[in-house]
Each structure stands twice: as structure tokens, then as C-alpha cells.
Amino acid sequence: MKYLLLEREKDIAVLKINRPEALNSLNSDVLRELKETLLELNQDDKIRVLIITGSGQKAFIAGADIKEMKALDYDGGKEFAELGHSVYNLLEDSNKVVIAAINGFCLGGGNELALSCDIRLASDKAKFGNPEVGLGIIAGFGGTQRLTNIVGEARAKELLYTGKIIDALKAEKIGLVNRVVAEGQLLEETWKMARKIAGNAPLAVSKTKEAVAYGRRKGISAGLEREKELFASCFETGDQKRGMEGYLNKIDVKFEGK
Ligand code: DAK
């Protein structure tokens, strides 16, 4: 792969967008590589948590590649949108927990990619925004929907209509990111969270992710119904027996994902 670096350590993988000369902006080659890698990772049952970050000190992802987009016509725009949406849906629906470690500029399509992840941790140097309307386009990689779901309609509209850039503390204040940490500690803190999640019962974690997504898509009543079914299905797993025996006998448990 030309633009991605993938590392694995036991049950955690780190995927780095590696195009620092263009602030890790997403051209169609980067998006195609992302799609291929996410499809492969989804088949890998050993990986439980995926961390996504950007290469270099300056940017997580400074958006979709403006140089490439400039030449697009309607059909080209549609093709680009299909590709982008397929990647972002793969992230959102991944059977892994996906954590974005946001190390710098997180703009446009970069912010939309972060919004497709389960959890966002940001360095105190990170900057966020969706400046698309200043370029004559909309936040078309899911931004109008996911930003609204995550920060609420009023805040999403303000960001999407003004295109303004906000700092990490403001992003934390409005719920765009889970937590802000000192720049030098971003990866360490992200790993800590990843290990904590990876140490829990994998099926229980992925069923939780499924229940949350189900309710978001189909509404709360359907989500509550689905939650009941998923809860019941936990009692068919060995990990439920292991987890509860471990608790009652005061011993640490190694979950097996079965
Ligand atoms: N695209 C292409 N190149 C980029 C880029 C981008 N988004 N962002 C930065 N670069 C390149 C710069 O052109 C420069 O390249 P050279 O001139 O050295 O060749 C290099 O990265 C370093 O950037 P700067 O020299 O500009 O660095 P500064 O520190 O001065 O400024 C900056 C950093 C992040 C403030 C600035 O680079 C900037 O404003 N970048 C653009 C940010 C932006 O507007 N991002 C949003 C892009 S629009 C779609 C749906 C959605 C989208 C697209 C399609 N469909 C449904 C089809 C999404 C659109 C977007 O994301």
C-alpha cells in the first residue's frame, strides 16, 4: 500500500493515513486502499480494536483532496461519493471498535471519517471543521447526517453553514470528541483505551455496538427490542459464563469471543 501503514499488536491494529506531504488528505487512491484494508480487517477475528490516526505532527486528515476534486463533473462527483460512503460505512459498521486518534487538522472528509468511528480522542493541538461550503460543495461523506447525530442539529448546522474551524477544547465541549489529551500522550492514551476495550468480552462489545447502531437507524422502540434479543443471546456464550464465574470467584478472566 502506498498511503497506509498498518501495524498489529495482538488484538489491536493501528492504521495510519500516510500522506503527510498533502496533510493526509484523501484522494481516491487513499480511499481505495482504505476500503481494501477495512474489508480485510473485518475478516480478521483476532483484531478487536482498530485505531486510526494520521502520519506526521500536523494533520489527522485535512479533508478530501481538493486538487483531485477540482476536476470532477457530476458523474465523477457521484463516483467519488460512492467510494467515500462505502469506506465510511465500512468503518461505522465494522465488527471492530474503531477509535480515531486525532493528531492535528481534522477537516472536511477527515472530520467525517472521524465521525464514522466509534470513539474520538484528540490531541490538544487538533483542529476541527467542515469548510466544504467555502469550496462550493457540501459535507457529502456523511457529514450532514453523522455530525448532526453526534453534536445535535443546531451545533451541526452552525459548523456546516459557517465552515468555521474550532479547537480541540471546543470540540470536546460540544461532544464532537470524547476527550482531549496532551499532544505527546495521544497514542499512549488511545492504546490504554483500546486495551481496556479489547480486554472485555468481544461478543458483548460487538453486540453493544450493534444495538446502538440499530436504535440510531430504526428508532428507539426498535432499538430497545433489538437490545432485548442481543442481551438474551449473550447467555448462549461461554464468555458470559466465564465473566460471571470470574466475578463471583474474584479472578481475572480471559475472554475467548465465544
Ligand atoms: N487537499 C489537497 N491538498 C491539501 C489539502 C486538501 N484537502 N489540505 C492540504 N493540502 C496540501 C496543500 O495544498 C499543501 O500542498 P503543497 O502546496 O505543499 O503542494 C500541503 O498540503 C500543506 O498544506 P499547507 O501549506 O496549506 O499547510 P498550512 O499549514 O499553511 O495550512 C490547512 C493547513 C489545513 C489550514 C490548509 O492546508 C487547508 O486549508 N487545507 C484545506 C482544508 C480543507 O478545506 N479541507 C476540506 C476539503 S473539502 C464528497 C463528499 C465530501 C467531500 C468531498 C467529496 N462527495 C460526496 C463526492 C469532502 C470534501 C472536503 O473534505
Side-chain angles (χ1 to χ4, degrees):
M1 279 182 297
K2 191 170 168 199
Y3 296 118
L4 299 184
L5 299 171
L6 181 64
E7 285 171 32
R8 293 158 204 252
E9 193 187 297
K10 293 190 195 149
D11 41 19
I12 298 169
V14 182
L15 185 57
K16 203 178 253 189
I17 318 286
N18 186 32
R19 202 186 169 216
E21 68 284 2
L23 302 189
N24 303 321
S25 56
L26 303 170
N27 61 19
S28 35
D29 285 341
V30 181
L31 288 171
R32 271 191 282 274
E33 287 187 9
L34 272 170
K35 185 171 180 176
E36 203 179 302
T37 307
L38 293 171
L39 284 168
E40 263 172 38
L41 281 171
N42 266 348
Q43 302 301 315
D44 186 342
D45 289 339
K46 276 192 236 101
I47 300 297
R48 295 177 182 174
V49 180
L50 171 64
I51 297 169
I52 300 198
T53 193
S55 222
Q57 303 294 318
K58 214 169 153 180
F60 173 65
I61 300 169
D65 188 321
I66 300 170
K67 290 171 192 159
E68 179 178 326
M69 277 191 300
K70 183 176 170 285
L72 295 180
D73 57 9
Y74 177 85
D75 289 336
K78 208 151 180 225
E79 207 177 299
F80 197 53
E82 294 291 346
L83 179 60
H85 276 265
S86 68
V87 171
Y88 291 28
N89 290 342
L90 271 171
L91 276 175
E92 189 172 66
D93 298 335
S94 168
N95 54 13
K96 326 289 170 210
V97 170
V98 188
I99 308 177
I102 303 166
N103 55 311
F105 285 112
C106 180
L107 302 176
N111 198 29
E112 290 168 293
L113 187 141
L115 290 163
S116 310
C117 299
D118 294 290
I119 293 169
R120 285 158 291 285
L121 296 187
S123 123
D124 53 2
K125 299 279 165 11
K127 299 237 182 302
F128 298 80
N130 277 93
E132 283 93 338
V133 289
L135 296 164
I137 57 174
I138 69 168
F141 283 164
T144 62
Q145 306 304 306
R146 293 192 180 101
L147 186 61
T148 306
N149 281 339
I150 289 169
V151 304
E153 191 167 325
R155 285 174 171 141
K157 282 179 169 170
E158 184 179 342
L159 288 170
L160 294 168
Y161 295 167
T162 63
K164 72 178 176 186
I165 309 287
I166 58 172
D167 64 22
L169 285 177
K170 173 80 179 166
E172 183 182 45
K173 197 166 165 222
I174 65 172
L176 174 51
V177 299
N178 295 63
R179 188 145 52 90
V180 178
V181 297
E183 188 181 26
Q185 275 160 15
L186 178 64
L187 281 181
E188 193 185 321
E189 288 298 316
T190 310
W191 271 94
K192 248 192 237 169
M193 186 183 279
R195 286 196 191 98
K196 176 89 182 117
I197 293 168
N200 287 328
L203 292 173
V205 172
S206 65
K207 285 172 199 285
T208 302
K209 178 166 176 170
E210 184 187 334
V212 173
Y214 202 90
R216 188 178 60 242
R217 294 206 175 107
K218 307 222 168 183
I220 187 163
S221 303
L224 289 169
E225 284 305 312
R226 186 76 192 128
E227 186 192 76
K228 271 193 265 175
E229 285 164 27
L230 288 165
F231 177 75
S233 72
C234 294
F235 293 86
E236 293 174 319
T237 69
D239 278 349
Q240 175 266 328
K241 309 281 178 274
R242 274 182 280 277
M244 293 194 180
E245 272 164 26
Y247 172 77
L248 293 171
N249 295 316
K250 301 187 190 328
I251 47 168
D252 280 343
V253 170
K254 199 163 166 21
F255 290 110
E256 294 180 6
K258 292 192 266 205

